[in-house]
């Protein structure tokens, strides 16, 4: 019999619940709220059968474009052939987690705003741009003794000692 | 001596998945909780209130709770041990007391939200099925009944509390199928019987029966009633007065308690994280110093 290509084919391990985490899912997933424009990760929860996305979207991150009663519309990029399409899927909230990809950016934005406000108060202009890590600074090597190493002529007798 | 093969091996324990803590304690029904708490996502942060009724052996707890990720928040609570303030001293866990507690909670919540003038509810408790009519300005306060782990049979006291809250003016979706006095044969609520239960009529009937047939049992069973001089005929008017008192002033009374006495501590107080770290640094420094001295001695 040929291998089927059904909707959930090849998902035996992907959709399986982790070890000792079977059964009811924690209530935080139901209490979270999502707004349009948030970034979310799609992670399928095999315990809930409704509103499951296709296995392709497992592990993808996208933006929320729609919020309905029990599900969220997420816009995810998918490469089809030679182009990337922005696909819009609807996923139940049990299969979605808030993404931390934009967290670092938001924190940096907040810090930069504070720094800029302080600088403005002091009257100086600062640059809050991130700088790439440059080459390491030069340094002097301390406490090194010089040992001159020269080659010694090949000695057959010495080398045969082991296996002779 | 019978040799029994060990049932629970190490492998058993390694694979054992514990249920949630509150399930292990037998206190929370997660299937029901998920369905009660789940709020429509397109309502964002709007709280979904549940009207929680729990019974202990000597007390009734009625609360309005909304759920957050940090924990549940209690908007307002009413206990049947507060009913003595309103004139009811005995029978604090019967159907009538449950009705009073539900009524007290409803009036308290509405007063807190300044809706108590708008939504009087059913002032005269008739036992008929009553639902709040939405008024012009504000929609009624909506909550969902949370019975917990109780078996919902007809005439259960949780439905007594539910009736109290409904008559108090809350909007709780319900049906009259489980109120005391619902006849399964004609599929109709007998309002007379329900009203009897709300006013403790069933207790009064039992008192009369016992007085007739077994006076000694009556003395022992209803001793508190006798002590306060409550007879079978006084019960109806007693509950009427309690309902009126509740509607007059539902605000909770603050009880003045002295601060608890200082108790002698028998075991050591647990250290904080910083204290433990500081202690460790001290010990390491002491060891290093002592070790340093030993090394110097060895070298010599």
């Amino acid at each position: 019999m040929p291998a089927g290509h059904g909707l959930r084919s090849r998902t035996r391990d992907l959709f399986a619940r982790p070890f000792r985490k079977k059964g009811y899912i924690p209530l935080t997933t139901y209490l979270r709220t999502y707004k349009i424009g948030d970034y979310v990760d799609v992670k399928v929860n095999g315990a809930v059968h409704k509103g499951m996305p296709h296995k392709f979207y497992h592990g993808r991150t996208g933006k929320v474009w729609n919020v309905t009663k029990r599900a969220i519309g997420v816009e995810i990029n998918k490469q089809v052939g030679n182009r990337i399409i922005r696909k819009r899927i609807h996923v139940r909230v049990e299969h979605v987690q808030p993404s931390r990809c934009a967290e670092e950016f938001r924190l940096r934005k907040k810090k930069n705003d504070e720094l800029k406000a302080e600088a403005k108060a002091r009257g100086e202009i600062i640059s809050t741009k991130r700088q790439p890590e440059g080459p390491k600074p030069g340094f002097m090597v301390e406490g090194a003794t010089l040992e001159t190493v020269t080659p010694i002529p090949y000695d057959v007798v010495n080398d045969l000692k082991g296996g002779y | 001596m019978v040799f029994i093969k060990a049932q629970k091996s190490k492998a058993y324990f390694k694979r054992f998945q514990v249920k949630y803590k509150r399930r292990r304690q037998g206190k929370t029904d997660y299937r029901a909780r998920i369905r009660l708490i789940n709020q429509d996502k397109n309502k964002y942060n709007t709280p979904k209130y549940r009207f929680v009724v729990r019974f202990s052996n000597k007390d009734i707890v009625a609360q309005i709770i909304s759920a957050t990720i940090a924990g549940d928040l209690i908007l307002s609570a009413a206990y049947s041990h507060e009913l003595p303030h309103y004139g009811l001293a005995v029978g604090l866990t019967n159907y009538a007391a449950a009705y009073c507690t539900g009524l007290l909670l409803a009036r308290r919540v509405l007063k807190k939200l300044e809706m108590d003038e708008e939504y009087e509810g059913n002032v005269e408790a008739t036992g008929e099925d009553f639902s709040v009519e939405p008024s012009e300005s504000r929609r009624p306060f909506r909550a969902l009944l949370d019975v917990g782990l109780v078996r919902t049979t007809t005439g259960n006291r949780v439905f007594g509390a539910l009736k109290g809250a409904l008559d108090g003016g809350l909007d709780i979706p319900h049906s009259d199928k489980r109120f005391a006095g619902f006849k399964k044969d004609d599929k109709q609520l007998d309002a007379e019987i329900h009203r009897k239960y709300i006013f403790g009529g069933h207790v009064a009937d039992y008192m009369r029966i016992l007085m007739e047939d077994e006076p000694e049992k009556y003395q022992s069973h209803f001793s508190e009633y006798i002590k306060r001089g409550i007879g079978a005929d006084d019960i109806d008017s007693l509950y009427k007065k309690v309902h009126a008192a509740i509607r007059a002033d539902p605000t909770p009374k603050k009880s003045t308690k002295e601060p608890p006495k200082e108790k002698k501590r028998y075991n050591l107080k647990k250290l904080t994280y910083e204290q433990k770290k500081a202690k460790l640094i001290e010990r390491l420094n002491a060891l290093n110093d002592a070790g340093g001295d030993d090394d110097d001695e060895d070298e010599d």
Side-chain angles (χ1 to χ4, degrees):
Chain A
M1 264 186 71
H5 301 292
L7 197 61
R8 286 182 62 168
S9 74
R10 304 163 197 182
T11 58
R12 176 179 184 170
D13 291 324
L14 188 64
F15 286 178
R17 296 290 290 134
F19 182 57
R20 288 192 303 176
K21 295 236 163 73
K22 298 198 168 64
Y24 283 111
I25 64 181
L27 288 240
T28 337
T29 31
Y30 295 101
L31 289 171
R32 287 222 163 87
T33 56
Y34 299 95
K35 307 241 271 285
I36 294 181
D38 287 349
Y39 281 103
V40 289
D41 301 333
V42 173
K43 185 173 169 205
V44 172
N45 187 321
V48 180
H49 302 137
K50 287 193 164 181
M52 257 194 202
H54 185 257
K55 66 174 184 282
F56 168 81
Y57 299 104
H58 181 89
R60 312 276 163 181
T61 307
K63 258 192 177 164
V64 177
W65 65 275
N66 186 19
V67 175
T68 67
K69 199 159 109 151
R70 298 266 181 254
I72 295 188
V74 189
E75 197 173 57
I76 298 184
N77 291 337
K78 181 175 186 182
Q79 177 173 6
V80 182
N82 61 344
R83 67 207 191 281
I84 298 185
I85 302 182
R86 295 215 307 261
K87 308 244 347 179
R88 295 188 152 189
I89 57 172
H90 279 99
V91 186
R92 267 202 175 213
V93 296
E94 293 93 332
H95 309 292
V96 150
Q97 286 172 347
S99 181
R100 294 184 61 188
C101 59
E103 180 183 319
E104 186 258 334
F105 168 64
R106 264 187 255 128
L107 287 173
R108 192 162 54 85
K109 208 162 68 151
K110 210 160 68 138
K111 201 160 66 99
N112 285 347
D113 288 342
E114 285 169 23
L115 289 173
K116 283 202 186 132
E118 281 174 28
K120 196 157 180 202
R122 280 177 286 148
E124 48 183 65
I125 304 172
I126 54 163
S127 162
T128 53
K129 282 183 196 270
R130 290 174 297 177
Q131 292 294 342
E133 221 179 282
K136 286 203 289 274
F139 59 97
M140 293 295 283
V141 179
E142 301 289 327
T145 52
L146 287 177
E147 187 187 326
T148 314
V149 180
T150 51
I152 51 173
Y154 182 61
D155 195 347
V156 180
V157 179
N158 259 341
D159 290 332
L160 285 177
K161 235 187 255 185
Y164 188 48
Chain B
M1 184 45 187
V2 182
F3 285 98
I4 317 163
K5 188 169 150 177
Q7 293 280 71
K8 292 196 211 159
S9 64
K10 191 162 168 196
Y12 167 83
F13 288 113
K14 278 188 159 193
R15 299 201 57 97
F16 188 76
Q17 179 186 338
V18 282
K19 297 182 162 47
Y20 290 156
K21 179 170 78 165
R22 286 217 114 211
R23 168 65 190 89
R24 276 179 275 139
Q25 295 169 347
K27 288 188 181 175
T28 305
D29 173 9
Y30 278 97
R31 181 177 192 275
R33 187 175 156 84
I34 287 178
R35 283 157 177 77
L36 277 168
I37 284 178
N38 207 353
Q39 173 68 291
D40 298 352
K41 291 298 150 226
N42 43 10
K43 294 191 185 157
Y44 298 101
N45 280 321
T46 317
K48 199 166 193 178
Y49 295 106
R50 40 191 192 110
F51 170 56
V52 166
V53 185
R54 299 283 186 269
F55 290 88
S56 81
N57 281 340
K58 294 189 192 161
D59 197 8
I60 307 179
V61 181
Q63 295 167 320
I64 301 272
I65 307 184
S66 69
T68 52
I69 295 183
D72 285 358
L73 290 175
I74 302 200
L75 182 64
S76 169
Y79 301 85
S80 74
H81 63 69
E82 296 177 38
L83 291 177
H85 291 298
Y86 298 94
L88 182 67
V90 279
L92 293 178
T93 51
N94 58 25
Y95 197 96
Y99 180 91
C100 294
T101 315
L103 177 66
L104 177 58
L105 176 67
R107 295 315 298 167
R108 215 170 254 183
V109 162
L110 290 177
K111 181 138 194 194
K112 192 171 187 176
L113 299 172
E114 288 160 19
M115 287 206 285
D116 50 348
E117 257 94 70
E118 262 179 86
Y119 290 104
E120 286 284 324
N122 200 2
V123 187
E124 247 212 61
T126 51
E128 265 169 14
D129 191 11
F130 170 81
S131 296
V132 198
E133 308 277 309
S135 83
E136 286 84 47
S137 46
R138 285 174 79 166
R139 283 178 297 134
F141 183 83
R142 194 182 184 93
L144 306 172
L145 179 65
D146 180 346
V147 289
L149 289 147
V150 148
R151 186 77 186 85
T152 49
T153 50
T154 318
N156 195 314
R157 292 170 292 165
V158 293
F159 300 110
L162 171 66
K163 188 78 178 97
L166 290 169
D167 287 352
L170 297 188
D171 177 20
I172 304 177
H174 65 283
S175 101
D176 54 0
K177 180 167 143 188
R178 292 297 180 196
F179 287 137
F182 183 81
K183 298 268 176 51
K184 227 171 55 162
D185 316 328
D186 15 298
K187 301 231 190 329
Q188 274 234 329
L189 175 66
D190 190 340
E192 279 297 315
I193 297 185
H194 197 201
R195 189 205 171 283
K196 196 164 83 109
Y197 271 79
I198 290 174
F199 284 98
H202 56 307
V203 180
D205 286 347
Y206 188 49
M207 280 169 94
R208 290 193 194 101
I209 291 173
L210 278 190
M211 272 199 289
E212 281 272 337
D213 299 337
E214 291 169 75
E216 296 95 40
K217 188 160 174 206
Y218 171 73
Q219 294 290 336
S220 73
H221 196 95
F222 286 104
S223 56
E224 288 289 315
Y225 282 78
I226 297 171
K227 209 162 42 161
R228 284 157 223 272
I230 302 175
D233 308 315
D234 308 323
I235 288 190
D236 195 284
S237 53
L238 171 70
Y239 281 109
K240 269 215 188 64
K241 277 205 226 98
V242 176
H243 295 336
I246 289 176
R247 279 187 183 272
D249 180 26
T251 51
K253 321 265 176 299
K254 272 232 177 275
S255 66
T256 48
K257 274 198 282 201
E258 326 102 48
K261 290 185 296 207
E262 280 291 311
K263 287 208 181 71
K264 178 174 162 208
R265 225 200 142 76
Y266 291 104
N267 52 356
L268 294 170
K269 194 156 184 179
K270 277 183 167 178
L271 302 174
T272 66
Y273 180 67
E274 278 93 37
Q275 286 172 332
K276 283 189 206 164
K277 270 216 315 209
K279 264 196 149 188
L280 179 66
I281 293 173
E282 268 178 47
R283 268 191 293 144
L284 286 176
N285 282 334
L287 267 178
N288 277 337
D289 297 336
D293 296 338
D294 288 342
D295 286 339
D296 293 338
E297 284 168 17
D298 285 341
E299 274 172 31
D300 292 344

